[in-house]
Amino acid sequence: GAVVSQHPSRVICKSGTSVKIECRSLDFQATTMFWYRQFPKQSLMLMATSNEGSKATYEQGVEKDKFLINHASLTLSTLTVTSAHPEDSSFYICSARWDRGEGTQYFGPGTRLLVL
Amino acid sequence: RKEVEQDPGPFNVPEGATVAFNCTYSNSASQSFFWYRQDCRKEPKLLMSVYSSGNEDGRFTAQLNRASQYISLLIRDSKLSDSATYLCVVNARGGTYKYIFGTGTRLKVLA
């Protein structure tokens, strides 16, 4: 299947700092990328959908000024958690899809963020 | 009501057992359905898509009942390596074709 990578795999930071997470599709061009967050023992919750070259669409309750998403190329999307706080500690997972329709999503390995 | 509902389990079954999971969804306009498997602290991995006619992949069988809006997954001859959380996923139409995840059902296969 298609390969999606994420970097870093885990990050520990101090409260108030910003953290950038990269998501890359390695062997296909990702027209659409998704960012999810998963808290312990909970399901994946979609944060935002980004299409290459356009602004991300955020889900209700997700602050777009806090979670900055950039999808500048067909193989790279970045999520920046600005002024991170302990409640932002979570497992962040991206996924990528080659089309804007019903194509299968391929998931990255996730980034574990711990904010102290 | 949640858009996609699953029994969280855990289901503890002996090796070799047959186990079934169900999932219900609320959006009747949903078009595509999947079962994903997620191991502890890892990303979800696609187990199988679910087709209207039902489909089988080795020991795994998936069924879709559109009238009742539920999806099932049957695992036969359970292996220790089947221990994981199984996520029911519905691809919702409405512009962005986004995945809606259930909370997952935990399965533990015991030796």
Side-chain angles (χ1 to χ4, degrees):
Chain A
V3 180
V4 176
S5 71
Q6 267 183 256
H7 179 80
S9 59
R10 62 178 64 194
V11 58
I12 301 173
C13 68
K14 290 182 180 178
S15 187
T17 59
S18 293
V19 175
K20 182 188 277 191
I21 303 170
E22 291 186 351
C23 176
R24 293 181 187 273
S25 56
L26 299 184
D27 53 358
F28 68 103
Q29 293 189 323
T31 305
T32 308
M33 285 184 165
F34 301 86
W35 286 96
Y36 295 85
R37 182 167 53 179
Q38 186 176 33
F39 291 109
K41 300 195 177 182
Q42 294 187 25
S43 190
L44 277 75
M45 296 299 296
L46 180 64
M47 298 175 68
T49 302
S50 76
N51 292 306
E52 184 266 337
S54 58
K55 287 185 180 178
T57 302
Y58 289 81
E59 295 299 301
Q60 196 171 10
V62 178
E63 299 173 58
K64 61 181 180 181
D65 294 330
K66 181 170 179 63
F67 298 99
L68 302 178
I69 291 171
N70 184 290
H71 190 168
S73 79
L74 284 171
T75 58
L76 174 64
S77 175
T78 60
L79 167 69
T80 301
V81 183
T82 61
S83 187
H85 290 285
E87 59 266 28
D88 298 323
S89 300
S90 187
F91 190 41
Y92 291 85
I93 308 175
C94 73
S95 71
R97 192 173 68 195
W98 70 270
D99 66 359
R100 293 176 190 243
E102 297 187 67
T104 302
Q105 290 185 32
Y106 296 94
F107 287 84
T111 297
R112 206 159 288 282
L113 171 63
L114 176 61
V115 184
L116 302 175
Chain B
R1 184 186 169 190
K2 290 181 184 174
E3 289 188 73
V4 180
E5 292 205 64
Q6 291 182 254
D7 180 345
F11 285 59
N12 296 322
V13 302
E15 260 188 300
T18 295
V19 61
F21 307 135
N22 288 330
C23 163
T24 58
Y25 60 95
S26 60
N27 185 349
S28 60
S30 301
Q31 290 298 315
S32 45
F33 310 88
F34 309 89
W35 283 102
Y36 275 75
R37 169 196 169 126
Q38 187 175 26
D39 293 289
C40 189
R41 303 174 77 83
K42 300 280 190 182
E43 79 277 21
K45 291 193 191 292
L46 179 64
L47 181 65
M48 57 198 303
S49 301
V50 186
Y51 304 117
S52 295
S53 54
N55 48 299
E56 190 174 303
D57 183 1
R59 298 181 293 108
F60 300 86
T61 301
Q63 297 274 357
L64 167 62
N65 184 319
R66 285 189 186 271
S68 302
Q69 293 180 206
Y70 83 76
I71 306 147
S72 65
L73 176 68
L74 182 79
I75 305 175
R76 289 182 298 277
D77 189 24
S78 301
K79 312 287 184 195
L80 294 176
S81 56
D82 293 334
S83 299
T85 296
Y86 290 83
L87 302 169
C88 173
V89 181
V90 173
N91 200 1
R93 271 201 180 162
T96 57
Y97 294 94
K98 56 189 183 185
Y99 279 12
I100 308 296
F101 282 83
T103 50
T105 299
R106 270 183 53 210
L107 171 67
K108 190 165 185 181
V109 181
L110 308 170

